[in-house]
């Protein structure tokens, strides 16, 4: 690249003017000298043509504020995130839109907060811009990411995201007669149990003005309380509203310490002579100055050897729910109120002093949590010199342990060195401590002085209580002799400058350890060290800031800022530097509000792999504290322009030429797989309800309905944990499944303006996204299960013609080899491997590298999904690209050539084992040639026949990608509970589980058996697989299912509670699957005693019935005959009684009449006798017929 300039400019360049030095506390505003202005102009002229087009785009940015539900549309500013529980139900609103398929039997709650979204551009009113954007179709897309909690024993580990849309809402703060006045976009701010850190990404839908994507932190502040007048105040102290310059001017910067990605509230001390801290819950987008309510800082410290006492808060560390501070030699902690984390109030209520009888000289942070807890270390002086107080924070509860347990570190070192010790140890002190969670050990930097003063790196194993000396730091700084780095072997020469280490930093992803002081040492194994000679020995490092994604920033005692890319050995000076001067000149030209003539750096920290400064600006009218980006790439480019140029005379003028040391011109990532299977991000899409108002503006009711929909969506997600495989692995499916057939009808009503409730909800739009596409960049981190791999390709266009022919392996052919090389650094080569394949495109002067990263299958034990993951990383770098290659983007230059990806090995989150009822039923029907279902069918619990062989099958369900695959591994099946009915199921004890399931049982208690001969190592339980020969139900005499009493006329049935686990028996995965489900077995046989008893009863009853029947058949004729005779005799008796009763009165009253009466009597007696004879004859005939 060449640029012709005037001779006057060249002559001016030769007369270099000495630049003023920068202040130690902050940069002094540079005088606008011609040299710097010309350098700034030169930097602009040398920018690629693409940046000129970008400059024409108006610079706009999103603005986000948190508002309570009661204050939406009132423009009352920003509310603090304090309330953590839903406010109430909105069931009445859900009963209005009857055509929207709501399940009115469910409870719909609302969250307490909304996000108010606006955007602003330089030089324009925000209100006018929002109206313009709305009318041109602009719609903010909101992606909320919930950070997983620390305590995975209490909460499920998952990477959950919800994609929402901002809805337009008219402001109610000012009266307006127009249809569209002052307005903003609003979207609900959901709250999820177990998550107190939320990231909000705002992007555009592609319409309207160009607005870059932005990320905001919206965290819950558990250190607030509500007062009687319904206002909020801090529980840790009193808020101050004035930033006095003496709090910050000329005060040294201090490190910002917190648990990475877990701390919702950050604190920063170091304000001279004041017990003040800066507190923020938005990563210093805004902040509060708080005076702590702690007791006197020196009353109880006289027993500690300290020359002076001060009110300054020296060390401040923030964890997920607890804050730690050190004042002088006293340590305090405060646990906030986080109901979403602890399901209760674990707040300490006030500052709690710990280690009251100890003299604490320093607090050391632990940047990463592990094993469901967070950690902190306190270094002591005085009576416990040489010990470390190791603090553990679990669910807000703090406990400390004094380490080492047997003796002090100093005594342990002296015992180790006793055979070679030349003198008695006079001074022994621990300078720094670092906790390594992977092997549960401490790295200690120990200062020792006997006949001479030296430092050692000591390792202490917390499990075995073993102490070992890893490395002795050289007494003097090595002489690198012009080299960028030097491997310390013990044979190199040294300078006269003593090595004075002051601290250590450890990156668990790449195992890179830095020891820093007036030097910088690095090591990947804590035993072999490399001296980075680029850092000057005249400076001393005050603290080191690690992004844990491949970047390291260094702050010296004189407030210089240095930069290092992990994996390289070149240290770059960012401030003060020529690049910084050029950058400042450009900021002056742009009249930037983030810079001032006098400023003081308060702290330096990384956020989303970007370096930020917290700076106190001293302006003429008003001083302020601002957070600003440190443009590392831009500073390196300006620095290169200052160094890598050459003046050549061509004819009558000088030509300025620049050398580009980047080995390539184009670098692109290709063939990236879909990210979700590796990032484990679960994503839901939750659009707002469609309002039927012609203006498209929402009201309070539609916003409340949107809140209720999000709440119920999260509730469905949390409840989706069925042990049986579901045909649709989407929690939203159960929401609408009963009314999905009416979807088109509801849409027809809404599209024609006939829907009720003035809103419509498209149920198909509420879904879980499984096919997210890659965005041409590597993911932030990837998860690898046993034997899985991650592949991608890198396309490089070489600079110039950089190919050469090399003889092939046979010696007869030649191969083209490029000068552009790709290197790969593995943090744990024993655990992961990489394969790189190269293809050369000569015509395009390009190369294509295929990179495949794989797990080696033997570096991690089994673990529960998302638990105890092993941290490692892969670094892919183009040789010679560090600090030389940059890509221009709309957000500024971005460094290229170094790709560092953290890798987590273990069981990825979002995987589970489920009982495959569908295939199990089909396979059992096929193998048994029959299937008898239960009489009373339960669709949720499958039912199987006792006498059939049972063949169980299971699925591995991926809740992130939606994939299901048959579980091909081995497992152990145990019956751990049961009962004849669902209400009588009980849990079995360990002894009962052994007796009911072990093939070694001799007590006739087995419930089931199998023909498989494979057992666990101790032969206690059978090992099953998908190829097993099935399960035969036994229910022996002493088993709980033996002699089950039928509950009805049907055969007995039993409900088994079955546990399936692959722990220790499966080599196909790192996942420790554990599944408990109910199995319904019917048709159980009766016991022999009960069957014999029933047989006896049945036989007795049957014989009795038969005898009764035979008896009835034999005795029936005689009985009938006897009954007839008896009836005949009874009739004769009745007839004769009737006759005599009739004839007696006739004789008495007929005496006067004589003959006539006598004739009548004879006729009557004759008739009666005839009738009697006829009846007697009929009776005899009937008896003859019967006999």
């Amino acid at each position: 690249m060449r640029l012709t300039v005037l001779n006057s400019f060249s002559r001016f360049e030769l007369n270099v003017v000495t630049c003023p030095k920068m202040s130690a506390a902050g940069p002094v505003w540079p005088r606008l000298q011609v040299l710097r202005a010309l350098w700034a102009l030169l930097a602009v002229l040398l920018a690629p043509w693409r940046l000129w087009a970008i400059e024409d785009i108006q610079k706009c940015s999103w603005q986000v504020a948190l508002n309570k539900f009661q204050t939406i549309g009132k423009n009352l500013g920003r509310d603090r995130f304090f309330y953590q529980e839903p406010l109430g139900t909105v069931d009445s609103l859900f009963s209005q839109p009857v055509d929207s398929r709501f399940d009115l039997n469910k409870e719909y709650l609302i969250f307490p907060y909304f996000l108010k979204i606006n955007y602003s551009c330089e030089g324009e009113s925000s209100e006018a811009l929002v109206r313009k954007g709305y009318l041109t179709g602009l719609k903010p897309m909101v992606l909320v990411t919930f950070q997983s909690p620390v305590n995975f024993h209490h909460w499920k580990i998952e990477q959950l995201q919800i994609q929402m849309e901002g809805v337009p809402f008219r402001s109610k703060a000012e009266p307006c007669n127009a249809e569209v006045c002052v307005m903003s976009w609003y979207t609900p701010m959901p709250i999820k149990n177990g998550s107190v850190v939320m990231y909000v990404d705002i992007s555009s839908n592609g319409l309207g003005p160009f607005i870059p994507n932005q990320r905001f932190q919206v965290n819950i502040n558990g250190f607030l309380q509500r007062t009687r007048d319904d206002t909020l105040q801090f529980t840790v102290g009193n808020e101050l509203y004035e930033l006095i310059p003496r709090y910050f001017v000329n005060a040294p910067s201090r490190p910002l310490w917190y648990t990475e990605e877990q701390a919702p509230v950050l604190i920063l001390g170091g304000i001279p002579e004041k017990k003040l801290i800066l507190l923020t819950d938005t990563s210093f987008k805004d902040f509060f100055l708080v005076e702590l309510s702690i007791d006197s800082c020196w009353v109880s410290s006289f027993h500690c050897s300290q020359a002076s006492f001060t009110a300054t808060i020296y060390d401040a560390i923030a964890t997920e729910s607890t804050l730690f501070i050190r004042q002088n030699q006293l340590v305090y902690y405060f646990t906030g109120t986080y109901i979403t984390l602890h399901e209760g109030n674990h707040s300490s209520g006030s500052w709690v002093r710990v280690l009251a009888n100890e003299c604490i000289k320093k607090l050391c942070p632990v940047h990463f949590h592990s094993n469901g807890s967070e950690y902190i270390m306190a270094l002591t002086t005085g009576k416990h010199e040489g010990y470390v107080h190791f603090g553990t924070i679990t669910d807000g509860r703090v406990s400390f342990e004094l380490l080492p347990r047997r003796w002090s570190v100093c005594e342990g070192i002296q015992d180790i060195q006793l055979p070679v010790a030349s003198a008695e140890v006079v001074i022994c002190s621990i300078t720094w401590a670092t906790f390594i969670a992977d092997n549960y050990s401490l790295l200690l930097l120990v200062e020792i002085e006997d006949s001479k003063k030296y430092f050692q790196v000591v390792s202490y194993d917390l499990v075995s209580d073993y102490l070992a000396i890893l490395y002795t730091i050289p007494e003097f700084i090595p002489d690198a002799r012009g080299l960028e780095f030097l491997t310390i072997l013990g044979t190199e020469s040294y300078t006269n400058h003593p090595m004075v280490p002051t601290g250590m930093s450890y990156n668990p992803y790449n195992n890179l350890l830095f020891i820093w002081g007036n030097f910088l040492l690095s090591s990947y194994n804590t035993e072999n060290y490399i001296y980075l000679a680029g850092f000057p020995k005249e400076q001393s490092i005050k603290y080191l800031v690690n992004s844990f994604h491949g970047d390291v920033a260094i702050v010296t005692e004189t407030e210089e800022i240095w930069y290092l890319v992990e994996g390289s050995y070149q240290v770059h000076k960012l401030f003060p530097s020529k690049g910084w001067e050029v950058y400042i000149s450009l900021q002056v030209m742009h009249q930037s509000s983030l810079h001032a003539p006098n400023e003081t750096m308060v702290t330096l920290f990384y956020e989303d792999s970007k370096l930020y400064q917290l700076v106190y600006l001293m302006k003429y009218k008003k001083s302020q504290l601002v957070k600003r980006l440190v443009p590392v790439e831009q500073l390196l480019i300006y620095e290169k322009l200052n160094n890598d140029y050459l003046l050549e005379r061509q004819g009558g003028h000088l030509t300025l030429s620049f050398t580009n040391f980047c080995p390539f011109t184009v670098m692109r990532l290709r063939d990236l797989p879909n990210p979700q299977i590796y990032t484990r991000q679960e994503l839901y899409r939750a659009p707002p309800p469609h309002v039927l108002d012609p203006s498209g503006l929402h009201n309070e009711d539609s916003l409340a309905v949107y809140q209720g929909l999000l709440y119920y969506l999260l509730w469905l997600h949390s409840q989706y944990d069925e042990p049986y495989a579901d045909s649709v692995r989407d929690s939203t499916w159960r929401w609408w499944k009963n009314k999905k057939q009416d979807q088109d009808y509801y849409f027809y009503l809404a599209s024609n303006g006939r829907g009720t409730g003035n809103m419509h909800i498209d149920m198909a739009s509420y879904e879980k996204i499984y096919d997210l596409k890659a965005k041409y960049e590597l993911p932030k981190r990837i998860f690898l299960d046993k034997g899985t791999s991650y592949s991608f390709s890198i396309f490089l266009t070489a600079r110039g013609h950089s190919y050469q022919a090399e003889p092939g392996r046979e010696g007869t052919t030649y191969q083209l080899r490029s000068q552009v090389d790709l290197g790969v650094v593995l943090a744990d080569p024993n655990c992961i491997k990489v394969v790189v394949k190269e293809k050369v495109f000569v015509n395009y002067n390009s190369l294509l590298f295929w990179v495949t990263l794989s797990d080696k299958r033997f570096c991690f034990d089994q673990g529960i999904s998302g638990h105890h993951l092993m941290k490692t990383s892969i670094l892919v770098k183009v040789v010679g690209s560090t600090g030389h290659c940059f890509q221009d983007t709309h957000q500024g230059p971005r460094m290229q050539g170094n790709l560092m990806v953290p890798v987590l090995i273990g069981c990825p989150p979002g995987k589970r084992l489920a009982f495959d009822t569908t295939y199990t039923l089909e396979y059992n029907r096929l193998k048994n040639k029959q299937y008898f279902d239960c009489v009373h069918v339960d669709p949720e619990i499958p039912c199987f026949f006792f006498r059939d062989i049972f063949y169980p099958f299971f699925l591995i369900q991926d809740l992130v990608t939606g994939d299901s695959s048959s579980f091909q591994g081995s497992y152990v099946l145990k019956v751990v509970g049961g009962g004849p009915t669902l209400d009588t199921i009980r849990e079995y004890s360990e002894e009962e589980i052994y007796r009911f399931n072990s093939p070694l049982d001799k007590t006739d208690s087995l419930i089931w058996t199998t023909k498989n001969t494979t057992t666990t190592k101790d032969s206690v339980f059978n090992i099953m697989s998908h190829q097993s020969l099935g399960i035969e139900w036994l229910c022996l005499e002493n088993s709980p299912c033996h002699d089950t009493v039928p509950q009805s006329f049907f055969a007995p049935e039993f409900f088994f509670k079955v546990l399936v686990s692959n722990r220790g028996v499966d080599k196909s995965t790192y996942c420790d699957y554990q599944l408990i489900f109910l199995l319904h077995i019917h048709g159980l046989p009766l016991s022999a005693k009960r069957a014999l008893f029933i047989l006896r009863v049945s036989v007795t009853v049957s014989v009795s019935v038969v005898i009764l029947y035979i008896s009835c058949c034999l005795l029936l004729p005689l009985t009938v005959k006897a009954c007839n005779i008896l009836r005949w005799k009874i009739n004769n008796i009745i007839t004769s009684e009737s006759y005599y009763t009739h004839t007696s009165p006739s004789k008495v009253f007929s005496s006067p009449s004589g003959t006539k009466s006598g004739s009548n009597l004879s006729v009557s007696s004759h008739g009666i006798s005839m009738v009697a004879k006829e009846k007697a004859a009929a009776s005899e005939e009937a008896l003859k017929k019967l006999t």
Side-chain angles (χ1 to χ4, degrees), residues 67 70-77 116-118 126-128 130-131 134 167-186 695 697-700 703:
N67 285 169
Q70 297 83 356
T71 61
I72 55 174
K74 297 181 180 180
N75 299 335
L76 297 180
K116 177 184 177 181
I117 305 171
N118 292 324
S126 178
E127 297 176 359
V130 173
R131 286 196 298 267
Y134 171 66
V167 298
F169 187 86
R170 185 186 294 112
S171 174
K172 299 182 294 184
E174 301 176 359
C176 181
N177 297 325
E179 185 175 6
V180 179
C181 301
V182 179
M183 57 169 294
S184 301
W185 288 283
Y186 285 87
S695 66
L697 297 176
H698 285 245
N699 53 29
E700 289 87 347
L703 288 177

Side-chain angles (χ1 to χ4, degrees), residues 975-990:
V975 177
V976 296
T981 62
L982 291 174
D983 298 331
T984 59
I985 295 178
R986 71 175 183 89
E987 302 286 341
Y988 298 150
S989 63
E990 291 294 331

Side-chain angles (χ1 to χ4, degrees), residues 135-235:
L135 295 176
T136 55
L138 175 64
K139 185 185 300 181
M141 311 301 293
V142 182
L143 180 66
V144 177
T145 303
F146 299 95
Q147 184 63 37
S148 297
V150 169
N151 191 354
F152 52 70
H153 302 291
H154 193 182
W155 303 103
K156 182 173 67 173
I157 298 298
E158 57 186 359
Q159 316 291 322
L160 182 63
Q161 294 179 321
I162 295 183
Q163 177 74 58
M164 301 178 292
E165 298 177 7
V167 298
F169 187 86
R170 185 186 294 112
S171 174
K172 299 182 294 184
E174 301 176 359
C176 181
N177 297 325
E179 185 175 6
V180 179
C181 301
V182 179
M183 57 169 294
S184 301
W185 288 283
Y186 285 87
T187 187
M189 183 61 214
I191 301 175
K192 175 181 172 294
N193 284 337
S195 182
V196 294
V197 175
M198 280 81 73
Y199 299 97
V200 177
D201 293 279
I202 310 294
S203 60
S204 170
N205 63 341
L207 301 177
F210 173 75
I211 310 175
N213 301 345
Q214 282 183 258
R215 165 167 282 201
F216 301 86
Q217 279 197 36
V218 184
N219 303 331
I220 298 177
N221 194 332
F223 302 94
L224 295 169
Q225 64 182 359
R226 187 169 54 183
T227 60
R228 295 181 179 179
D229 57 353
D230 204 27
T231 60
L232 296 179
Q233 69 178 18
F234 285 100
T235 56

